[in-house]
Amino acid sequence: MTIPTVTLNNGVAMPQVGFGVFQVPNDETEAAVTAALEAGYRSIDTAAVYRNEVGVGRALAKSGIARDELFITTKLWNSDHEQPVEAYEKSLERLSLDHVDLYLIHWPTPERDLYVGAWQGLEKLYADGRARAIGVSNFLPDHLARIVALGGTVPAVNQVEVHPALQQRAVLEADARLGIATEAWSPLAQGAVLADPVVTTIATRVDRTPAQVILRWHVQQGRVVIPKSVTPSRIAENLDLFGFDLTGDDLAAIDGLERDGRVGPNPAEFNGA
Ligand code: NDP
């Protein structure tokens, strides 16, 4: 199966669908990532704080898939904003890789106000050719503005919570204006929108599952998605998004599901260690 890619602002191609492993225990991660690779995923999204980089690395090594066919993302945790290079090296060690394709600042943690320095650390990693692309996660427009104002590297990606119940229009607009690709985390709202009649009605008509309809709503608008599942049939289903189209009316009907449906922390307030 060929997975479409989006071209990042530095020319690197990123698969439009990846596999997320948040909340997958390390000892279950190898099996989940193996199932994802077997289903055809080539992009895996982990983070130092998920404590499962070792499991991801084991599955990658065991797969025998060539490194240049894989797209691996990991993230700098909040308590490491003052030592990004050292934290990166530790992540690589756990992953048993010599580079990742995308390294992200996980949260801006605005109260600590250390993300500008952290970004300069990521810029150094990138300038030294140690990561193929660098970006941010959970950055709101004012956080993006501060790092873009440095005049250095513009983030390639902003990975943020986006789904029908939280559409983040201001963030999407800022990303688009700055040439930053938007990657949707919790793209299925952790399941919260799957039983909505708007979604199930469309799913019945196009003969797809509700999850496929929601993921298609994202990819048809150019976003990268990283659905998580530990269920093999869902892992496969979530990648099978490219044989059908939603109409403009379908997209608008799903847009109409916007509500205060945040499933994760608010980046303006989250300063978790
Ligand atoms: P998702 O929106 O991907 O939802 C995952 C949930 O939906 C699981 O309970 C899963 O169940 C269920 N599910 C998955 N596929 C289907 C399907 N086809 N039909 C029905 N139910 C389904 O939420 P996540 O919060 O896991 O987000 C995805 C990824 O985003 C994470 O793994 C992580 O990589 C990233 N993320 C990043 C964050 C950040 O701060 N940067 C924060 C949170 C997430 P089951 O597993 O039992 O099959």
Side-chain angles (χ1 to χ4, degrees), residues 20-22 45 50 75 106-107 137-138 159 185-191 194 211 226-231 234 237-238:
V21 293
F22 177 45
D45 181 81
Y50 300 170
K75 313 185 192 89
H106 204 148
W107 292 90
S137 178
N138 300 301
Q159 182 186 116
W185 65 253
S186 296
L188 299 170
Q190 297 181 344
L194 298 179
I226 42 171
K228 169 265 173 187
S229 177
V230 292
T231 313
R234 292 173 171 176
E237 172 187 326
N238 293 345

Side-chain angles (χ1 to χ4, degrees), residues 156-160 162 171-172 175-176 180-184 222-225:
V157 168
N158 188 13
Q159 182 186 116
V160 285
V162 189
V171 175
L172 301 192
D175 288 350
I180 300 170
T182 302
E183 180 177 21
R223 287 192 285 281
V224 176
V225 288

